[in-house]
Amino acid sequence: MSIFAWCSQRAGGLAMLATVALSYWVISSELEAQRHGYKYQSNDSLSAPNYDPQNGAIWVNIFSYYCLLIHFLVFCFPLRSCYAVFTIGRQLRKSARARTLKDIKFGHRRRSSSTSLSSSETLTSSRELSSSSSSEIEDVDTDCYIDGDIAPDRVIHAIVIPNYKEENDTLRETLEVLASHPQARNTYDVYLAMEQREHNAETKASRFVNEFSKKFRSINYTLHPSDIPGELAGKGSNMAWAARKLSERYTLGQRKDVIVTGIDADSHLSTNYFGLVTTMHMTYPETATTTLYSAPIIFDRNAHNVPAIVRVADVLWSAAGMSGLYKGSTVAPPTSVYSVPLELVDRVGGWDCDAEAIGEDLHMYLKCFFALNGNLTVRTVMSPVSQTNVTGGGHGKGIPGLIADVQARYKQALRHMWGALDTGYALRKVVEVWRERKHTSRAFRPLHTALNDASDGYVPESQISTADPEAAPESGIFSDVTTDTLKDLNYERIVVLFHRLFEAHFLPVQMTILVVASTLYAWVTDGAPDVHGVNWMFSICNVLRTVGFMEVALYLFLYESFHKICLEIREKEMSDAGLTKGMHFSRREVKTNFIDYIMVPLVAPIFGSIPCAQAQIFHFWTVDLVYTVSKKATRRRAKSVTVDALV
């Protein structure tokens, strides 16, 4: 491993040490200045030499300006999250209103077809209803409305559900929700991505395949082998193995209309999710194979059964995910659930399985982003994904239960922060694409062909340049090769990407260090002359910090409306599908809202700064993290009656 690769993997830890060292130097220098005083004395003085304030001025200025920058970023992040949750919530309300009016309109038409319309009032009412529904529908963003004129069966959705030691009820509930979708029988190819390390994994998967075989276009399972060197057990490796296997099922002609969707085992997706992805895929054919689709997430199933501190941690985690999903955003890393065209999967070589890919959603986004020189198209699916809060099974168990739930959430936070390795991956990729910026010709094969080929999918450039793009493919060594020419590097998006990575992987620790350091600096220099002229920056930092907390409170206020509309949409859909019995629906109440607001100052360090610092320190020794499965809430099912119970 090169020095650059080693340092890039530990960029967060190195930045943390550098910030601590800078803060220590500046504060200790000011303490020394206070001890000796700032007065200048001539060189011939016999008294003890006094401190020259110009000696450490450059470091004080660096410290001050960096502190101002960090506070400004902390100010911007919740502001962007507020804008995102407001716009997404507003669009969801418009979409729900448009769907309701459309249903009323068509229902009115059906009733009118069997009734004589002799009344002028009835005719007027019909026209007004039609006009109202049309105006509402036209007001909805085209990316948020399912086009009924598009043939839904043309696009195949390959849905991969990676799972490792997940509870049977969790998987069954997710499959039941997917099976309730009207298009499931015609367009859903479901793949249970199992792990061979799990005891009886094959038996478990076979049972689900038999149970749901008639509910989908197809349902299969894959077993990720446990003996592949360098591949770790986890969501990424299971996704990678499943993608290799599903790739074999689709011909070259089908691949451009196959979309691979990766979801968590507890993710509940609305039928609108796949309808919107299909619509956008067909509406924008010029970018159909270079687009990644991501959706906001919401924790609305067992939030009422977890401690407030855990609930708020997940609310703020969803804020981090939504902060890039606002309309017009060109950099939008997904959170947990996302969809990628199979042809784009072929282009990037599938999912990675090493330690750096533990956060497979962000890692796959980065692979696609740099494979296209930063010109990856991202589209937001305005259909929030329902998920469950992590729990340690502590509900109703008092203080021990509270501790168990907090520990379970901390483990998940540590796993999230372990994804700081992706910053190092991005650093190495940006160097790679810079070196290759003048070579824009690309060629790739279907994923399963490239991986099985000893040549690793390499196609000589001479073959690319001499090939006739209009010629029909023939049987031969290059018959399955797809050629393409990349656009130039998109520097603006690369800068924005690294800003987002800094927010996710550096900002929690950097902010904590600098809040403490700036407070100590102000205490040390209290009453002393501002010889460096930096006090104005710390005054601005205090204002930005205060406004930042107010923005978080505003986000929680806006989240109430977002949570309500999402819950209403999901509850209606589950009711229509007959799945509400035993289903969890977490409603927000004034009492819990008040407690949530109080918990915000505790959540940031416990589930943000501390696990982020722990991950960055541990990276100096190892980049491997043992993947553990968090306990999740499922539907309350009636217990089966045994023979012994009847005796």
Side-chain angles (χ1 to χ4, degrees), residues 154-155 252-260 277-278 280-293 339-349 364 367-369 371-372 375-379 444 482-487:
R154 178 174 169 181
V155 176
L252 286 176
Q254 290 178 310
R255 303 181 83 81
K256 62 184 179 64
D257 289 326
V258 175
I259 299 178
V260 182
V277 170
T278 298
M280 289 186 284
H281 178 80
M282 302 300 294
T283 303
Y284 305 101
E286 67 281 359
T287 58
T289 59
T290 57
T291 299
L292 184 144
Y293 306 91
S339 299
V340 188
L342 182 55
E343 192 167 309
L344 183 54
V345 175
D346 292 337
R347 179 191 291 269
V348 302
M364 185 60 172
K367 285 193 74 175
C368 297
F369 182 89
L372 296 169
N375 295 292
L376 174 68
T377 302
V378 290
R379 300 195 189 279
F444 53 92
T482 301
T483 60
D484 191 17
T485 301
L486 297 181
K487 297 180 181 178

Tab-separated table of all heavy atoms in Angstrom, residues 154-155 252-260 277-278 280-293 339-349 364 367-369 371-372 375-379 444 482-487:
chain	number	residue	atom	x	y	z
A	154	ARG	N	-42.665	-2.736	-19.508
A	154	ARG	CA	-41.426	-2.667	-20.285
A	154	ARG	C	-40.192	-2.642	-19.393
A	154	ARG	O	-39.150	-3.181	-19.747
A	154	ARG	CB	-41.459	-1.424	-21.177
A	154	ARG	CG	-40.182	-1.245	-21.990
A	154	ARG	CD	-40.283	-0.096	-22.957
A	154	ARG	NE	-39.004	0.238	-23.547
A	154	ARG	CZ	-38.804	1.219	-24.411
A	154	ARG	NH1	-39.835	1.962	-24.786
A	154	ARG	NH2	-37.610	1.472	-24.893
A	155	VAL	N	-40.309	-2.015	-18.225
A	155	VAL	CA	-39.182	-1.902	-17.299
A	155	VAL	C	-39.286	-3.004	-16.253
A	155	VAL	O	-40.326	-3.193	-15.616
A	155	VAL	CB	-39.168	-0.522	-16.622
A	155	VAL	CG1	-38.055	-0.447	-15.588
A	155	VAL	CG2	-39.003	0.584	-17.660
A	252	LEU	N	-28.676	-8.806	-23.603
A	252	LEU	CA	-28.192	-7.466	-23.939
A	252	LEU	C	-29.349	-6.535	-24.297
A	252	LEU	O	-29.337	-5.348	-23.969
A	252	LEU	CB	-27.203	-7.540	-25.101
A	252	LEU	CG	-25.806	-8.090	-24.782
A	252	LEU	CD1	-24.983	-8.190	-26.058
A	252	LEU	CD2	-25.105	-7.214	-23.764
A	253	GLY	N	-30.354	-7.082	-24.971
A	253	GLY	CA	-31.493	-6.259	-25.344
A	253	GLY	C	-32.344	-5.835	-24.161
A	253	GLY	O	-32.962	-4.767	-24.175
A	254	GLN	N	-32.386	-6.635	-23.108
A	254	GLN	CA	-33.192	-6.324	-21.932
A	254	GLN	C	-32.496	-5.365	-20.971
A	254	GLN	O	-33.151	-4.607	-20.264
A	254	GLN	CB	-33.528	-7.614	-21.166
A	254	GLN	CG	-34.509	-8.539	-21.852
A	254	GLN	CD	-34.729	-9.793	-21.017
A	254	GLN	OE1	-33.780	-10.441	-20.587
A	254	GLN	NE2	-35.996	-10.122	-20.793
A	255	ARG	N	-31.171	-5.385	-20.960
A	255	ARG	CA	-30.420	-4.756	-19.873
A	255	ARG	C	-30.688	-3.260	-19.730
A	255	ARG	O	-30.665	-2.729	-18.620
A	255	ARG	CB	-28.920	-5.012	-20.050
A	255	ARG	CG	-28.567	-6.480	-20.116
A	255	ARG	CD	-27.074	-6.685	-20.272
A	255	ARG	NE	-26.383	-6.616	-19.000
A	255	ARG	CZ	-26.302	-7.629	-18.136
A	255	ARG	NH1	-26.890	-8.783	-18.418
A	255	ARG	NH2	-25.655	-7.489	-17.007
A	256	LYS	N	-30.942	-2.591	-20.841
A	256	LYS	CA	-31.130	-1.139	-20.756
A	256	LYS	C	-32.424	-0.768	-20.042
A	256	LYS	O	-32.592	0.379	-19.603
A	256	LYS	CB	-31.113	-0.514	-22.145
A	256	LYS	CG	-32.220	-0.974	-23.085
A	256	LYS	CD	-32.055	-0.361	-24.461
A	256	LYS	CE	-33.144	-0.828	-25.420
A	256	LYS	NZ	-34.484	-0.380	-24.997
A	257	ASP	N	-33.338	-1.730	-19.898
A	257	ASP	CA	-34.595	-1.466	-19.205
A	257	ASP	C	-34.747	-2.319	-17.951
A	257	ASP	O	-35.866	-2.598	-17.499
A	257	ASP	CB	-35.786	-1.705	-20.139
A	257	ASP	CG	-35.899	-0.633	-21.210
A	257	ASP	OD1	-35.566	0.531	-20.907
A	257	ASP	OD2	-36.296	-0.957	-22.338
A	258	VAL	N	-33.626	-2.733	-17.395
A	258	VAL	CA	-33.633	-3.438	-16.108
A	258	VAL	C	-33.030	-2.502	-15.066
A	258	VAL	O	-31.929	-1.985	-15.244
A	258	VAL	CB	-32.826	-4.748	-16.168
A	258	VAL	CG1	-32.750	-5.393	-14.787
A	258	VAL	CG2	-33.446	-5.712	-17.171
A	259	ILE	N	-33.752	-2.276	-13.990
A	259	ILE	CA	-33.294	-1.378	-12.929
A	259	ILE	C	-33.124	-2.182	-11.650
A	259	ILE	O	-34.059	-2.851	-11.193
A	259	ILE	CB	-34.283	-0.223	-12.712
A	259	ILE	CG1	-34.405	0.602	-13.996
A	259	ILE	CG2	-33.843	0.663	-11.554
A	259	ILE	CD1	-35.404	1.735	-13.900
A	260	VAL	N	-31.925	-2.128	-11.087
A	260	VAL	CA	-31.603	-2.864	-9.867
A	260	VAL	C	-31.847	-1.954	-8.670
A	260	VAL	O	-31.311	-0.849	-8.590
A	260	VAL	CB	-30.140	-3.338	-9.876
A	260	VAL	CG1	-29.838	-4.149	-8.618
A	260	VAL	CG2	-29.854	-4.167	-11.125
A	277	VAL	N	-39.994	5.577	-10.577
A	277	VAL	CA	-38.721	5.217	-11.204
A	277	VAL	C	-38.939	4.826	-12.660
A	277	VAL	O	-38.189	5.232	-13.558
A	277	VAL	CB	-38.030	4.076	-10.422
A	277	VAL	CG1	-36.832	3.542	-11.199
A	277	VAL	CG2	-37.573	4.560	-9.045
A	278	THR	N	-39.995	4.040	-12.914
A	278	THR	CA	-40.320	3.643	-14.291
A	278	THR	C	-40.618	4.859	-15.153
A	278	THR	O	-40.128	4.985	-16.285
A	278	THR	CB	-41.523	2.690	-14.294
A	278	THR	OG1	-41.194	1.504	-13.577
A	278	THR	CG2	-41.907	2.314	-15.720
A	280	MET	N	-39.687	8.049	-14.737
A	280	MET	CA	-38.494	8.858	-14.986
A	280	MET	C	-37.533	8.157	-15.937
A	280	MET	O	-36.891	8.793	-16.769
A	280	MET	CB	-37.806	9.199	-13.659
A	280	MET	CG	-38.583	10.200	-12.818
A	280	MET	SD	-37.695	10.752	-11.336
A	280	MET	CE	-37.901	9.325	-10.266
A	281	HIS	N	-37.431	6.849	-15.812
A	281	HIS	CA	-36.552	6.080	-16.701
A	281	HIS	C	-36.997	6.206	-18.150
A	281	HIS	O	-36.162	6.364	-19.058
A	281	HIS	CB	-36.553	4.618	-16.270
A	281	HIS	CG	-35.728	3.726	-17.146
A	281	HIS	ND1	-34.352	3.628	-17.053
A	281	HIS	CD2	-36.093	2.885	-18.163
A	281	HIS	CE1	-33.907	2.773	-17.958
A	281	HIS	NE2	-34.939	2.303	-18.643
A	282	MET	N	-38.305	6.171	-18.377
A	282	MET	CA	-38.828	6.246	-19.735
A	282	MET	C	-38.938	7.682	-20.240
A	282	MET	O	-38.861	7.922	-21.442
A	282	MET	CB	-40.204	5.568	-19.797
A	282	MET	CG	-40.208	4.111	-19.361
A	282	MET	SD	-39.135	3.075	-20.382
A	282	MET	CE	-39.988	3.177	-21.946
A	283	THR	N	-39.095	8.628	-19.336
A	283	THR	CA	-39.267	10.024	-19.733
A	283	THR	C	-37.952	10.660	-20.166
A	283	THR	O	-37.932	11.544	-21.020
A	283	THR	CB	-39.880	10.838	-18.574
A	283	THR	OG1	-41.119	10.236	-18.184
A	283	THR	CG2	-40.130	12.288	-18.988
A	284	TYR	N	-36.847	10.213	-19.591
A	284	TYR	CA	-35.530	10.794	-19.906
A	284	TYR	C	-34.616	9.725	-20.509
A	284	TYR	O	-33.667	9.255	-19.863
A	284	TYR	CB	-34.889	11.374	-18.647
A	284	TYR	CG	-35.751	12.374	-17.927
A	284	TYR	CD1	-36.465	12.024	-16.781
A	284	TYR	CD2	-35.859	13.682	-18.393
A	284	TYR	CE1	-37.259	12.947	-16.117
A	284	TYR	CE2	-36.650	14.610	-17.731
A	284	TYR	CZ	-37.345	14.246	-16.602
A	284	TYR	OH	-38.134	15.161	-15.945
A	285	PRO	N	-34.883	9.308	-21.739
A	285	PRO	CA	-34.089	8.217	-22.336
A	285	PRO	C	-32.621	8.583	-22.537
A	285	PRO	O	-31.762	7.700	-22.536
A	285	PRO	CB	-34.787	7.974	-23.680
A	285	PRO	CG	-35.495	9.257	-23.992
A	285	PRO	CD	-35.913	9.809	-22.664
A	286	GLU	N	-32.314	9.879	-22.705
A	286	GLU	CA	-30.927	10.274	-22.954
A	286	GLU	C	-30.035	10.042	-21.733
A	286	GLU	O	-28.817	9.890	-21.868
A	286	GLU	CB	-30.868	11.744	-23.381
A	286	GLU	CG	-31.263	12.767	-22.324
A	286	GLU	CD	-32.769	12.913	-22.144
A	286	GLU	OE1	-33.514	12.220	-22.877
A	286	GLU	OE2	-33.189	13.713	-21.292
A	287	THR	N	-30.617	10.011	-20.533
A	287	THR	CA	-29.821	9.769	-19.322
A	287	THR	C	-30.292	8.522	-18.578
A	287	THR	O	-29.912	8.314	-17.420
A	287	THR	CB	-29.909	10.983	-18.378
A	287	THR	OG1	-31.284	11.224	-18.037
A	287	THR	CG2	-29.315	12.227	-19.017
A	288	ALA	N	-31.095	7.695	-19.219
A	288	ALA	CA	-31.710	6.553	-18.538
A	288	ALA	C	-30.686	5.586	-17.967
A	288	ALA	O	-30.895	5.010	-16.895
A	288	ALA	CB	-32.644	5.820	-19.502
A	289	THR	N	-29.568	5.396	-18.672
A	289	THR	CA	-28.573	4.411	-18.227
A	289	THR	C	-27.454	5.030	-17.402
A	289	THR	O	-26.504	4.338	-17.026
A	289	THR	CB	-27.965	3.682	-19.436
A	289	THR	OG1	-27.345	4.639	-20.303
A	289	THR	CG2	-29.028	2.917	-20.200
A	290	THR	N	-27.543	6.325	-17.111
A	290	THR	CA	-26.514	6.983	-16.286
A	290	THR	C	-27.168	7.736	-15.130
A	290	THR	O	-26.662	8.762	-14.687
A	290	THR	CB	-25.681	7.967	-17.131
A	290	THR	OG1	-26.551	8.937	-17.749
A	290	THR	CG2	-24.895	7.230	-18.199
A	291	THR	N	-28.284	7.204	-14.642
A	291	THR	CA	-29.030	7.858	-13.570
A	291	THR	C	-29.105	6.959	-12.349
A	291	THR	O	-29.311	5.751	-12.462
A	291	THR	CB	-30.460	8.205	-14.037
A	291	THR	OG1	-30.395	9.104	-15.141
A	291	THR	CG2	-31.254	8.867	-12.920
A	292	LEU	N	-28.935	7.556	-11.179
A	292	LEU	CA	-29.147	6.861	-9.913
A	292	LEU	C	-30.351	7.499	-9.232
A	292	LEU	O	-30.453	8.722	-9.150
A	292	LEU	CB	-27.907	6.963	-9.023
A	292	LEU	CG	-27.958	6.196	-7.699
A	292	LEU	CD1	-26.578	5.615	-7.365
A	292	LEU	CD2	-28.428	7.077	-6.540
A	293	TYR	N	-31.268	6.653	-8.775
A	293	TYR	CA	-32.499	7.123	-8.143
A	293	TYR	C	-32.425	6.886	-6.633
A	293	TYR	O	-32.085	5.777	-6.193
A	293	TYR	CB	-33.714	6.387	-8.714
A	293	TYR	CG	-33.831	6.443	-10.221
A	293	TYR	CD1	-33.254	5.459	-11.022
A	293	TYR	CD2	-34.506	7.487	-10.847
A	293	TYR	CE1	-33.351	5.513	-12.408
A	293	TYR	CE2	-34.619	7.548	-12.235
A	293	TYR	CZ	-34.031	6.553	-13.003
A	293	TYR	OH	-34.122	6.612	-14.374
A	339	SER	N	-31.880	2.977	-6.528
A	339	SER	CA	-32.054	2.179	-7.750
A	339	SER	C	-31.029	2.601	-8.784
A	339	SER	O	-30.763	3.799	-8.953
A	339	SER	CB	-33.472	2.359	-8.314
A	339	SER	OG	-34.440	1.919	-7.393
A	340	VAL	N	-30.462	1.605	-9.476
A	340	VAL	CA	-29.420	1.841	-10.475
A	340	VAL	C	-29.727	1.004	-11.710
A	340	VAL	O	-30.030	-0.191	-11.591
A	340	VAL	CB	-28.022	1.450	-9.938
A	340	VAL	CG1	-26.933	1.884	-10.900
A	340	VAL	CG2	-27.779	2.039	-8.561
A	341	PRO	N	-29.668	1.575	-12.914
A	341	PRO	CA	-29.856	0.770	-14.135
A	341	PRO	C	-28.795	-0.320	-14.227
A	341	PRO	O	-27.632	-0.100	-13.861
A	341	PRO	CB	-29.697	1.798	-15.261
A	341	PRO	CG	-29.951	3.119	-14.626
A	341	PRO	CD	-29.464	3.002	-13.216
A	342	LEU	N	-29.194	-1.488	-14.721
A	342	LEU	CA	-28.263	-2.607	-14.815
A	342	LEU	C	-27.083	-2.259	-15.718
A	342	LEU	O	-25.952	-2.714	-15.478
A	342	LEU	CB	-28.992	-3.848	-15.340
A	342	LEU	CG	-28.157	-5.123	-15.456
A	342	LEU	CD1	-27.499	-5.490	-14.135
A	342	LEU	CD2	-29.017	-6.280	-15.963
A	343	GLU	N	-27.305	-1.456	-16.738
A	343	GLU	CA	-26.212	-1.077	-17.625
A	343	GLU	C	-25.174	-0.229	-16.890
A	343	GLU	O	-23.979	-0.320	-17.173
A	343	GLU	CB	-26.752	-0.319	-18.839
A	343	GLU	CG	-25.720	-0.141	-19.951
A	343	GLU	CD	-26.319	0.330	-21.252
A	343	GLU	OE1	-27.308	-0.297	-21.702
A	343	GLU	OE2	-25.808	1.308	-21.816
A	344	LEU	N	-25.612	0.580	-15.933
A	344	LEU	CA	-24.665	1.349	-15.122
A	344	LEU	C	-23.917	0.429	-14.162
A	344	LEU	O	-22.727	0.633	-13.890
A	344	LEU	CB	-25.400	2.444	-14.348
A	344	LEU	CG	-24.545	3.392	-13.504
A	344	LEU	CD1	-23.450	4.044	-14.338
A	344	LEU	CD2	-25.418	4.461	-12.850
A	345	VAL	N	-24.595	-0.596	-13.658
A	345	VAL	CA	-23.934	-1.603	-12.821
A	345	VAL	C	-22.838	-2.304	-13.620
A	345	VAL	O	-21.736	-2.542	-13.125
A	345	VAL	CB	-24.959	-2.621	-12.285
A	345	VAL	CG1	-24.251	-3.737	-11.519
A	345	VAL	CG2	-25.978	-1.935	-11.386
A	346	ASP	N	-23.134	-2.636	-14.881
A	346	ASP	CA	-22.123	-3.236	-15.756
A	346	ASP	C	-20.928	-2.308	-15.916
A	346	ASP	O	-19.766	-2.739	-15.865
A	346	ASP	CB	-22.718	-3.529	-17.137
A	346	ASP	CG	-23.767	-4.627	-17.113
A	346	ASP	OD1	-23.740	-5.452	-16.186
A	346	ASP	OD2	-24.607	-4.657	-18.031
A	347	ARG	N	-21.208	-1.043	-16.127
A	347	ARG	CA	-20.151	-0.067	-16.398
A	347	ARG	C	-19.158	0.016	-15.234
A	347	ARG	O	-17.950	0.101	-15.442
A	347	ARG	CB	-20.763	1.311	-16.664
A	347	ARG	CG	-19.741	2.406	-16.946
A	347	ARG	CD	-20.394	3.770	-16.919
A	347	ARG	NE	-21.304	3.977	-18.031
A	347	ARG	CZ	-20.947	4.514	-19.205
A	347	ARG	NH1	-19.697	4.888	-19.406
A	347	ARG	NH2	-21.841	4.684	-20.150
A	348	VAL	N	-19.669	0.019	-14.001
A	348	VAL	CA	-18.791	0.223	-12.842
A	348	VAL	C	-18.256	-1.091	-12.270
A	348	VAL	O	-17.453	-1.076	-11.342
A	348	VAL	CB	-19.516	1.014	-11.743
A	348	VAL	CG1	-19.991	2.351	-12.275
A	348	VAL	CG2	-20.674	0.224	-11.148
A	349	GLY	N	-18.710	-2.226	-12.809
A	349	GLY	CA	-18.200	-3.502	-12.310
A	349	GLY	C	-18.889	-4.002	-11.060
A	349	GLY	O	-18.314	-4.788	-10.305
A	364	MET	N	-21.327	2.786	-3.573
A	364	MET	CA	-21.799	2.550	-4.935
A	364	MET	C	-22.057	3.870	-5.640
A	364	MET	O	-21.787	4.006	-6.847
A	364	MET	CB	-23.060	1.687	-4.911
A	364	MET	CG	-23.552	1.282	-6.297
A	364	MET	SD	-22.290	0.319	-7.205
A	364	MET	CE	-23.224	-0.195	-8.638
A	367	LYS	N	-18.737	5.114	-6.825
A	367	LYS	CA	-18.271	4.351	-7.986
A	367	LYS	C	-18.923	4.865	-9.271
A	367	LYS	O	-18.255	5.088	-10.281
A	367	LYS	CB	-18.583	2.862	-7.827
A	367	LYS	CG	-17.703	2.114	-6.858
A	367	LYS	CD	-17.866	0.606	-7.005
A	367	LYS	CE	-17.192	0.101	-8.269
A	367	LYS	NZ	-17.221	-1.370	-8.373
A	368	CYS	N	-20.231	5.049	-9.209
A	368	CYS	CA	-20.960	5.540	-10.388
A	368	CYS	C	-20.560	6.976	-10.713
A	368	CYS	O	-20.404	7.341	-11.890
A	368	CYS	CB	-22.464	5.457	-10.141
A	368	CYS	SG	-23.107	3.786	-9.901
A	369	PHE	N	-20.387	7.793	-9.689
A	369	PHE	CA	-20.040	9.206	-9.874
A	369	PHE	C	-18.715	9.350	-10.614
A	369	PHE	O	-18.614	10.078	-11.619
A	369	PHE	CB	-19.974	9.884	-8.500
A	369	PHE	CG	-19.672	11.353	-8.541
A	369	PHE	CD1	-20.690	12.281	-8.637
A	369	PHE	CD2	-18.360	11.816	-8.481
A	369	PHE	CE1	-20.416	13.648	-8.667
A	369	PHE	CE2	-18.072	13.164	-8.517
A	369	PHE	CZ	-19.100	14.086	-8.614
A	371	ALA	N	-17.044	6.970	-12.238
A	371	ALA	CA	-17.024	6.238	-13.502
A	371	ALA	C	-17.535	7.102	-14.645
A	371	ALA	O	-17.197	6.868	-15.810
A	371	ALA	CB	-17.864	4.970	-13.392
A	372	LEU	N	-18.327	8.121	-14.312
A	372	LEU	CA	-18.880	9.030	-15.324
A	372	LEU	C	-18.240	10.410	-15.263
A	372	LEU	O	-18.803	11.394	-15.745
A	372	LEU	CB	-20.393	9.144	-15.133
A	372	LEU	CG	-21.187	7.856	-15.338
A	372	LEU	CD1	-22.625	8.019	-14.864
A	372	LEU	CD2	-21.162	7.432	-16.798
A	375	ASN	N	-20.408	13.135	-13.925
A	375	ASN	CA	-21.614	13.493	-14.681
A	375	ASN	C	-22.771	12.528	-14.420
A	375	ASN	O	-23.646	12.349	-15.274
A	375	ASN	CB	-21.296	13.541	-16.173
A	375	ASN	CG	-20.314	14.642	-16.521
A	375	ASN	OD1	-20.629	15.823	-16.425
A	375	ASN	ND2	-19.093	14.264	-16.909
A	376	LEU	N	-22.775	11.924	-13.261
A	376	LEU	CA	-23.874	11.049	-12.873
A	376	LEU	C	-25.139	11.879	-12.674
A	376	LEU	O	-25.134	12.903	-11.994
A	376	LEU	CB	-23.527	10.313	-11.572
A	376	LEU	CG	-24.621	9.465	-10.940
A	376	LEU	CD1	-24.931	8.256	-11.814
A	376	LEU	CD2	-24.219	9.022	-9.540
A	377	THR	N	-26.232	11.433	-13.270
A	377	THR	CA	-27.522	12.087	-13.082
A	377	THR	C	-28.200	11.492	-11.853
A	377	THR	O	-28.224	10.272	-11.689
A	377	THR	CB	-28.432	11.890	-14.306
A	377	THR	OG1	-27.780	12.418	-15.468
A	377	THR	CG2	-29.758	12.607	-14.124
A	378	VAL	N	-28.711	12.337	-10.980
A	378	VAL	CA	-29.425	11.861	-9.790
A	378	VAL	C	-30.848	12.393	-9.826
A	378	VAL	O	-31.076	13.557	-10.148
A	378	VAL	CB	-28.720	12.303	-8.494
A	378	VAL	CG1	-27.417	11.565	-8.312
A	378	VAL	CG2	-28.475	13.809	-8.475
A	379	ARG	N	-31.792	11.525	-9.533
A	379	ARG	CA	-33.199	11.924	-9.499
A	379	ARG	C	-33.810	11.438	-8.186
A	379	ARG	O	-33.580	10.298	-7.759
A	379	ARG	CB	-33.967	11.360	-10.688
A	379	ARG	CG	-33.419	11.812	-12.026
A	379	ARG	CD	-34.401	11.545	-13.167
A	379	ARG	NE	-33.772	11.785	-14.454
A	379	ARG	CZ	-33.621	12.989	-15.004
A	379	ARG	NH1	-34.065	14.048	-14.353
A	379	ARG	NH2	-33.034	13.130	-16.179
A	444	PHE	N	-17.276	-1.709	-21.837
A	444	PHE	CA	-17.579	-2.599	-20.713
A	444	PHE	C	-18.469	-3.729	-21.189
A	444	PHE	O	-19.171	-3.618	-22.195
A	444	PHE	CB	-18.238	-1.832	-19.568
A	444	PHE	CG	-19.445	-1.039	-19.966
A	444	PHE	CD1	-20.715	-1.591	-19.893
A	444	PHE	CD2	-19.319	0.273	-20.421
A	444	PHE	CE1	-21.832	-0.871	-20.260
A	444	PHE	CE2	-20.430	1.009	-20.789
A	444	PHE	CZ	-21.696	0.436	-20.713
A	482	THR	N	-20.063	-3.012	-24.873
A	482	THR	CA	-20.720	-1.719	-25.037
A	482	THR	C	-19.659	-0.630	-24.984
A	482	THR	O	-18.839	-0.602	-24.053
A	482	THR	CB	-21.752	-1.471	-23.926
A	482	THR	OG1	-22.732	-2.514	-23.951
A	482	THR	CG2	-22.440	-0.125	-24.114
A	483	THR	N	-19.637	0.236	-25.964
A	483	THR	CA	-18.648	1.310	-26.008
A	483	THR	C	-19.320	2.650	-25.747
A	483	THR	O	-20.498	2.834	-26.025
A	483	THR	CB	-17.943	1.359	-27.374
A	483	THR	OG1	-18.910	1.594	-28.395
A	483	THR	CG2	-17.212	0.050	-27.641
A	484	ASP	N	-18.543	3.567	-25.215
A	484	ASP	CA	-19.096	4.866	-24.867
A	484	ASP	C	-17.962	5.877	-24.763
A	484	ASP	O	-16.794	5.504	-24.587
A	484	ASP	CB	-19.844	4.778	-23.535
A	484	ASP	CG	-20.659	6.027	-23.246
A	484	ASP	OD1	-20.905	6.795	-24.193
A	484	ASP	OD2	-21.040	6.225	-22.080
A	485	THR	N	-18.307	7.145	-24.877
A	485	THR	CA	-17.355	8.235	-24.700
A	485	THR	C	-17.835	9.117	-23.559
A	485	THR	O	-18.965	9.619	-23.579
A	485	THR	CB	-17.213	9.078	-25.977
A	485	THR	OG1	-16.780	8.229	-27.044
A	485	THR	CG2	-16.201	10.199	-25.772
A	486	LEU	N	-16.988	9.301	-22.559
A	486	LEU	CA	-17.362	10.075	-21.382
A	486	LEU	C	-17.311	11.572	-21.658
A	486	LEU	O	-16.550	12.040	-22.500
A	486	LEU	CB	-16.422	9.754	-20.211
A	486	LEU	CG	-16.419	8.323	-19.680
A	486	LEU	CD1	-15.448	8.214	-18.514
A	486	LEU	CD2	-17.813	7.906	-19.251
A	487	LYS	N	-18.100	12.310	-20.918
A	487	LYS	CA	-17.999	13.763	-20.923
A	487	LYS	C	-16.766	14.192	-20.142
A	487	LYS	O	-16.183	13.407	-19.389
A	487	LYS	CB	-19.257	14.379	-20.305
A	487	LYS	CG	-20.544	14.105	-21.066
A	487	LYS	CD	-21.726	14.754	-20.359
A	487	LYS	CE	-23.028	14.463	-21.089
A	487	LYS	NZ	-24.185	15.061	-20.376
